[in-house]
Amino acid sequence: MTGRTRRYEKRYDDLLGLFANEAAFTEIARTRGAEIAYRVDEFRPSDRAGDVIFGTSMLYPGRVGDEFIFTRGHIHAVSDRPEIYFCQSGHGVMLMELADGTIRTEEMTPNSVVYVAPHWIHRSVNVGTEPLVTLFCYPADAGQDYDIIASAGGMRDLIVDDGSGGWTRIPNPRYRPRVTGSGAA
Amino acid sequence: MTGRTRRYEKRYDDLLGLFANEAAFTEIARTRGAEIAYRVDEFRPSDRAGDVIFGTSMLYPGRVGDEFIFTRGHIHAVSDRPEIYFCQSGHGVMLMELADGTIRTEEMTPNSVVYVAPHWIHRSVNVGTEPLVTLFCYPADAGQDYDIIASAGGMRDLIVDDGSGGWTRIPNPRYRPRVTGSGAA
């Protein structure tokens, strides 16, 4: 993206610990650890409220065991800030989760827009065979919190190959529900 | 755009009075008045501060006399709100103007991002031969003020054919400078 203020890349080695099938990940990392899994270009004019950040993301296709490759995912540090994604090419799923484990998915196909409403943890998953190219924008004061996923052992569900050319959602065996709400011990 | 909340189209007939060469416009409108000049799809989740609006714009190529076709243009009603444009395809110019008549242009080519900083009036111009497709995002509470251009007789400069396949900027003969600043009579 011409005019970007930042580019970052995640290699397979950077994704250690994120996929359920650790043996499959180890095998991939052994031979392809330095390969780029995704690349993000962003344009961030400032961090002030009332400003906007825009960027593009290229998530290469891949699987770790049955699980489709995904971006690390986050919730906004200012959690009532939304994010809008636009799919430019490829086939993806936006996997969204509330702190209480409620899950929502939305399919991403070329020219579709997905709204990640305030308070939703979100991650892009490439369920296709081509790079998933998305554009995103969000309020400049939103910030990112990645730990909300890591501390729960991942997101509640995994997006996996359904064995017949599509994708499906299955429970993540490593998921530890967050303690939320006023009734929590 | 799949998932849009609104689409609007501007036809040549809707652009009456915006181009400097009125005779040329009348001739075009006579035969092609119902033709679509540009189409905007937008996704507007809300109008609240902290939310974001995203959309796509398709501006077909064309000229009125020597002047390249453009979108109507606006300043944000909450004038310190910025806007980010991303060029998906085509060749354009973002024409920007401050209330005091200061002008800035930025070229739009595929995969480039243009930042319209707070307080800049802005308009997209298609200086190419293909549709200019841009994506835009801005804070949901920004609003639009179109009258700031109309009341000054247009923007200060016109973007015109330079006679050798490119574009150039010339003064708009109908422009009436705005009365701005504390020293104004």
Side-chain angles (χ1 to χ4, degrees), chain A residues 8-10 13 19 21 31 33 54-55 83 88 104 108 110 112 118 120 122 134 149 151 154-155 170 184:
Chain A
Y8 65 89
E9 288 165 341
K10 295 286 177 188
D13 278 343
F19 295 90
N21 187 333
T31 53
F54 176 84
E83 185 154 354
Q88 197 162 44
R104 227 187 109 211
M108 295 191 283
S112 65
W120 288 84
H122 52 284
T134 55
I149 298 178
S151 64
M155 291 182 75
I170 61 169

Side-chain angles (χ1 to χ4, degrees), chain A residues 20-44:
Chain A
N21 187 333
E22 292 179 16
F25 183 83
T26 302
E27 181 56 25
I28 290 168
R30 201 177 55 81
T31 53
R32 298 164 49 209
E35 197 176 294
I36 291 171
Y38 60 95
R39 174 185 295 121
V40 176
D41 280 1
E42 68 171 30
F43 174 73
R44 177 187 297 261

Side-chain angles (χ1 to χ4, degrees), chain B residues 51-66:
Chain B
D51 213 338
V52 179
I53 292 167
F54 175 84
T56 64
S57 162
M58 164 94 77
L59 173 58
Y60 292 95
R63 270 181 18 202
V64 176
D66 288 336

